Amino acid sequence: KQIEMIIGPPGTGKTRGISERMLAKLSDGSSFVGLRCAWTNAATRNCLHSLLDLAVEKGLCTKELKSRLVFVSPTEADTRKFKDMGVQTVTLTMKDLPVWENLVARAKSEPLVFFLTVGKLMGEERFYRTRLDVLACLVDLVHIDEAGQILHFNGKHILRVLKPGSGELALTGDNAQLPAYSHSRWHTYPLMRY
């Protein structure tokens, strides 16, 4: 439906603007699925912290709101950290497939926002065909932070999760940032350059 590019230098509110949109959807309680992703763990964590900080600032940071945030955890340290904060965590391992299926069932009746580090999936195409397929055609808003670093190969798989006809894509980043620093055997073109 819509592709939105928000370009600006660091600290200009690009990530916060998307956080405001997602927080509004999360707090109204209606069915909504969001996916926030970035190339690095640090950027993905920043997206989650931005949303949580905004919720605290607006007085909306409740246990219920935190339970609607799902961090796809690449490390045990992140799993412990975010569980301690009250945020749901899930991994990309086969043992968590029932958790993913439960999350999809929840997404049909309540808002959820997933946070995923795309760079950790390089060379792991099989993960795209398992976990992200669970979200296929289900996501209302995909936010790709630091989009200048996302490779075309990774980006096209993320786009498969958008809801047909109504899904929105928001790309944020700095047009002067470095291109992706990992090479795909398929394409080396950053997504934001298209």
Side-chain angles (χ1 to χ4, degrees):
K1 177 184 170 187
Q2 180 180 337
I3 298 176
E4 179 179 5
M5 291 182 73
I6 305 168
I7 301 172
T12 55
K14 301 176 300 287
T15 302
R16 182 183 171 97
I18 301 297
S19 291
E20 287 177 355
R21 286 170 55 187
M22 291 209 175
L23 183 60
K25 296 287 189 181
L26 283 167
S27 53
D28 79 9
S30 61
S31 179
F32 168 80
V33 179
L35 173 63
R36 297 188 81 171
C37 52
W39 181 255
T40 64
N41 288 334
T44 305
R45 280 190 224 104
N46 182 50
C47 287
L48 177 57
H49 287 297
S50 170
L51 197 142
L52 287 171
D53 292 346
L54 185 63
V56 168
E57 181 183 309
K58 294 188 177 236
L60 299 170
C61 194
T62 63
K63 185 176 180 179
E64 180 183 19
L65 178 101
K66 288 180 181 180
S67 73
R68 293 176 174 171
L69 305 176
V70 181
F71 189 80
V72 182
S73 184
T75 67
E76 282 298 317
D78 279 343
T79 299
R80 284 190 301 277
K81 176 182 177 181
F82 290 114
K83 274 189 179 177
D84 289 346
M85 293 172 61
V87 173
Q88 164 107 30
T89 61
V90 65
T91 66
L92 291 170
T93 61
M94 287 305 288
K95 72 178 179 72
D96 274 358
L97 190 55
V99 177
W100 280 94
E101 291 167 349
N102 180 37
L103 289 168
V104 169
R106 279 180 58 198
K108 293 177 181 169
S109 61
E110 66 180 285
L112 292 176
V113 175
F114 294 84
F115 296 83
L116 171 69
T117 300
V118 178
K120 289 295 180 186
L121 301 176
M122 278 304 299
E124 301 293 341
E125 292 87 7
R126 68 183 182 275
F127 288 144
Y128 285 115
R129 295 188 191 106
T130 55
R131 298 321 149 258
L132 285 183
D133 277 351
V134 172
L135 295 175
C137 301
L138 187 68
V139 178
D140 297 293
L141 174 60
V142 171
H143 169 225
I144 301 177
D145 197 31
E146 307 297 349
Q149 295 180 345
I150 302 291
L151 294 173
H152 169 69
F153 174 74
N154 301 102
K156 72 180 181 182
H157 287 291
I158 292 168
L159 297 180
R160 291 179 14 217
V161 303
L162 279 172
K163 192 176 283 184
S166 63
E168 297 179 36
L169 171 65
L171 303 172
T172 60
D174 180 349
N175 59 357
Q177 52 187 187
L178 296 172
Y181 50 81
S182 179
H183 297 284
S184 163
R185 65 180 181 215
W186 307 101
H187 298 284
T188 56
Y189 304 107
L191 181 65
M192 200 163 180
R193 303 269 153 96
Y194 284 109

